[in-house]
Amino acid sequence: TSLSTSTLITMSSHHWLLAWLGLELNTLSILPMIIKPHHPRATEAATKYFLIQAAAAALILFSSTLNAWQTGHWSITNISTPTATVTITIAIMLKLGIAPTHAWYPEVLQGATMNTALILSTWQKLAPLTLLYLMKNSLPNSLILTIGALSILVGGWAGLNQTQTRKIMAMSSIAHMGWLIIALNMSLDIATMTLAVYILLTTTMFTSLNITTTKTLADLGVTWPQSPVLFVIMLITLLSLGGLPPLTGFAPKWLILTSLCHTKLFMLSVMIVIASLPSLFFYIRMTYLATLTAPPNTTNAQHKWRHKMSHPWALGPTMVMAGLLLPLTPLMAT
């Protein structure tokens, strides 16, 4: 059912009611997946997710009704009422978990399983982002740029004191969404490329963490005996998430900063580069903890390394792409 959401929103490019229906279907479809473990944390996460998404959907319905009342049409691509535009933008930011409406996001991810957290971080972003794509010409530019810069800052700073890998990935997601909506304000092509790279890196990282059952930073130190190759590529993916130059993750940031400089937004460029340094710090700290703080042949769990790990067939290609796509940047940019 969740698969139908983006289709509904694309089909309903001229009608807010169908878009709202798609968002509601999307929310109701993911709830059983979050609550499936039957653990109190999972129940709490599902409740929080439902309340937040329902509130955001109600705001969208209210704003689109207000817009229809004042203009006489339900078109998504043409919203001429400033109040409705700002309210819908804030509601979509709430759905995406972007700062300052981000507090629910790390908590929900922490209460879900790794696979469900992966879906929440990737697939669940597509429907609200589709609405932002359709609204591009009506979006309040200064608000979007401000929220984007704030998300990059908050995602970096709030991740510094986290020890749970899912919460760190949640903060990473908030920061990346900040880059994405700044890109959306500049160019749809760069935004699409940023989204594709974000989904690729996040999928690789969550799958690796799931295979090695790495739930805290302490677990990173004992991952090496399980699969050295997987471990090394996981560290490269972490650095790619941080946006270090030789790796894939550098490409979208490079193009976004170039685009910002072309539009003479130099202060914003400097601000988001500085704001992304804390994110880079906690990625490098994870790499440090994994490689330099524990001998590679010890493990706290007595039998952990004896169990044969499953390697999903798609993990190999995604890991290679997570590190080596930077030379294709000119092709992706055009």
Side-chain angles (χ1 to χ4, degrees):
T1 312
S2 186
L3 194 63
S4 63
T5 310
S6 294
T7 314
L8 258 176
I9 289 179
T10 308
M11 287 168 52
S12 65
S13 57
H14 294 295
H15 213 289
W16 270 112
L17 277 181
L18 281 176
W20 171 79
L21 178 64
L23 290 171
E24 288 296 290
L25 273 173
N26 183 273
T27 301
L28 294 174
S29 303
I30 195 74
L31 288 175
M33 297 177 70
I34 301 173
I35 211 167
K36 186 176 179 289
H38 300 294
H39 189 274
R41 288 299 298 270
T43 310
E44 181 186 339
T47 308
K48 285 177 180 173
Y49 188 79
F50 170 71
L51 291 174
I52 292 293
Q53 298 295 317
L59 268 178
I60 289 173
L61 187 60
F62 165 73
S63 308
S64 54
T65 308
L66 179 67
N67 184 62
W69 176 47
Q70 295 194 353
T71 62
H73 62 78
W74 289 87
S75 173
I76 297 176
T77 50
N78 182 23
I79 303 178
S80 48
T81 313
T83 310
T85 309
V86 171
T87 314
I88 287 178
T89 305
I90 291 170
I92 292 174
M93 299 307 160
L94 181 59
K95 273 193 167 291
L96 287 170
I98 292 179
T101 56
H102 66 283
W104 63 274
Y105 188 59
E107 300 299 323
V108 169
L109 252 59
Q110 183 60 30
T113 61
M114 280 288 183
N115 287 332
T116 309
L118 168 61
I119 294 169
L120 289 172
S121 299
T122 53
W123 181 259
Q124 292 300 100
K125 306 281 189 192
L126 296 183
L129 284 172
T130 306
L131 290 177
L132 283 182
Y133 268 63
L134 292 170
M135 289 172 62
K136 184 185 183 302
N137 296 326
S138 311
L139 291 174
N141 291 340
S142 54
L143 178 64
I144 290 289
L145 293 175
T146 306
I147 288 176
L150 184 63
S151 293
I152 296 169
L153 184 65
V154 167
W157 280 105
L160 288 176
N161 65 343
Q162 299 298 337
T163 56
Q164 300 286 332
T165 50
R166 273 168 293 188
K167 283 196 175 182
I168 288 175
M169 290 304 294
M171 293 307 173
S172 161
S173 176
I174 291 166
H176 278 88
M177 282 294 119
W179 283 94
L180 179 56
I181 63 166
I182 287 176
L184 191 69
N185 200 52
M186 312 304 298
S187 158
L188 289 182
D189 293 335
I190 296 177
T192 307
M193 193 266 260
T194 307
L195 178 62
V197 170
Y198 162 75
I199 289 176
L200 172 69
L201 296 178
T202 307
T203 303
T204 307
M205 203 61 227
F206 267 115
T207 311
S208 306
L209 293 172
N210 190 35
I211 289 172
T212 56
T213 60
T214 305
K215 292 178 179 168
T216 64
L217 291 183
D219 293 340
L220 275 172
V222 296
T223 308
W224 175 271
Q226 292 180 275
S227 176
V229 176
L230 173 64
F231 180 70
V232 169
I233 300 179
M234 186 166 81
L235 300 186
I236 292 171
T237 308
L238 266 176
L239 297 178
S240 188
L241 269 171
L244 286 184
L247 304 169
T248 307
F250 177 62
K253 296 185 178 181
W254 178 19
L255 292 174
I256 291 166
L257 290 171
T258 307
S259 182
L260 284 172
C261 291
H262 284 162
T263 36
K264 302 290 189 290
L265 291 168
F266 299 115
M267 281 302 295
L268 180 64
S269 304
V270 172
M271 192 189 308
I272 63 175
V273 167
I274 293 172
S276 63
L277 287 177
S279 292
L280 183 58
F281 172 78
F282 66 68
Y283 294 128
I284 292 176
R285 185 181 59 185
M286 285 175 77
T287 311
Y288 169 78
L289 286 171
T291 51
L292 299 175
T293 57
N297 57 353
T298 59
T299 173
N300 294 334
Q302 190 177 0
H303 299 297
K304 187 175 180 182
W305 62 277
R306 296 177 185 274
H307 299 308
K308 184 172 173 57
M309 291 188 302
S310 62
H311 290 88
W313 63 269
L315 187 59
T318 54
M319 282 190 151
V320 172
M321 288 190 289
L324 302 176
L325 284 187
L326 187 63
L328 296 180
T329 305
L331 286 175
M332 291 190 280
T334 53

